[in-house]
Amino acid sequence: MAAAVAASASTPQGVAERRGIPAAAFVEDVEAYLRQAGLDVNSALAFLQERLQQYKIVEMKLLAQQRDLQAKIPDIEKCLDIVATLQAKKDLGEALIADFELSEGIYSRAKIEDTDSVCLWLGANVMLEYSCDEANALLKKNLENAKASLEVLVADLQFLRDQQTITQVTIARVFNWDVHQRRSKQAIKET
Amino acid sequence: MQQGDGTEAQVTWEDQQNINRFGRLNNRLHELQDEIKLAKETNENLDDAGNELILSDEDVVRFQIGEVFAHMPRDDVETRLEQMKEDAAKKLERLEEEKESILAQMAELKKILYGKFKDAINLEED
């Protein structure tokens, strides 16, 4: 029986979990793993499959959040653009004439004169009036927050996908080990 | 433990990390392909807009900012459009460069992983 002592040596494999997502334990040696966990092959495979499903569910959630953020960022940038245009027009002393959609397919013209303030939609049926400078500051802060959140989210997704990959590889290895075992036992029986 | 035909390579932590890295690169590659498609469309649209602008002879052009169409003098619109085209072209170039880099890294990893695992691993697009 080959010595399986080396199998339980701890390797620096990074964090044990990230923001509530448990890390997948990397298996150095399949046999030692099964013995330590006290599981037979089928139970181990079932456990790993369930872990994989849980990871998939979290992935769906994170992907939805990512899509929301990715839609929000261009919106904020457009708002910043409008505020900048209004300010530029104010500096020129001109009014801004804009065509806007009144209803589907119907547009109307507006003349926006000497604006010192803009109204920003904050969500939850709330709209607040800000001076152009305040609006700029608020929008820029929101943009930075959104971009930062997106970065964290992307890192979370990468971590999650790594754990999925590790789990999938472990499932394959456990399965192969089992096949190997059966073949060996068969070979022994036939001799 | 009896070895069967004993040629199964063991997966080390380093191998696992390589596999993980390959997965990450592959994901990023798919995202990039979508982003590149969008960027190319944007570039085309801006080119079309530029052409339309040249063809039209109005002095005041309605330029879309956000949800509204602001009336702007033609020169301003031209300047803006040029800037947008330049930004879009740079963005596309950046994306293509990233894609090349990723493809190169993936080729490297494939060499390493196929070298060790041969048939036991499949790294192709399904």
Side-chain angles (χ1 to χ4, degrees), chain A residues 1-2 12-13 26 29 31 78 81-82 85 97-100 107 109 158 161-162 165-166 169 173 180, chain B residues 1-2 4-6 8 10-13 16 19-20 24 27 31 62 65-71 80:
Chain A
M1 169 102 150
Q13 289 169 20
F26 176 68
D29 179 88
E31 185 170 354
K78 281 186 212 166
D81 200 359
I82 284 258
T85 309
I97 305 182
D99 295 343
F100 63 97
Y107 289 77
R109 191 153 295 172
Q158 285 185 325
R161 290 201 178 111
D162 279 354
T165 310
I166 296 178
V169 169
R173 287 168 66 203
H180 212 166
Chain B
M1 179 165 77
Q2 300 278 3
D5 40 357
E8 267 185 37
Q10 278 294 65
V11 179
T12 65
W13 176 233
Q16 181 68 70
I19 297 175
N20 285 354
R24 282 196 194 195
N27 278 327
E31 279 176 16
R62 273 163 287 195
I65 309 181
E67 305 296 320
V68 303
F69 296 90
H71 290 212
R80 274 219 186 198

Side-chain angles (χ1 to χ4, degrees), chain A residues 45-113:
Chain A
L45 284 175
F47 166 71
L48 290 168
Q49 287 286 19
E50 204 197 309
R51 260 299 173 83
L52 201 59
Q53 288 301 91
Q54 289 169 340
Y55 283 144
K56 280 244 176 305
I57 293 177
V58 178
E59 187 183 7
M60 293 285 115
K61 199 177 72 161
L62 289 181
L63 281 175
Q65 285 178 354
Q66 186 188 26
R67 271 194 296 270
D68 284 340
L69 275 174
Q70 281 174 331
K72 213 167 117 174
I73 288 175
D75 268 352
I76 303 178
E77 286 172 343
K78 281 186 212 166
C79 289
L80 276 168
D81 200 359
I82 284 258
V83 174
T85 309
L86 283 172
Q87 279 183 309
K89 279 288 185 181
K90 193 174 83 151
D91 290 340
L92 288 177
E94 291 170 13
L96 178 70
I97 305 182
D99 295 343
F100 63 97
E101 195 177 26
L102 208 53
S103 169
E104 181 87 33
I106 303 178
Y107 289 77
S108 179
R109 191 153 295 172
K111 189 172 178 189
I112 308 168
E113 293 182 326

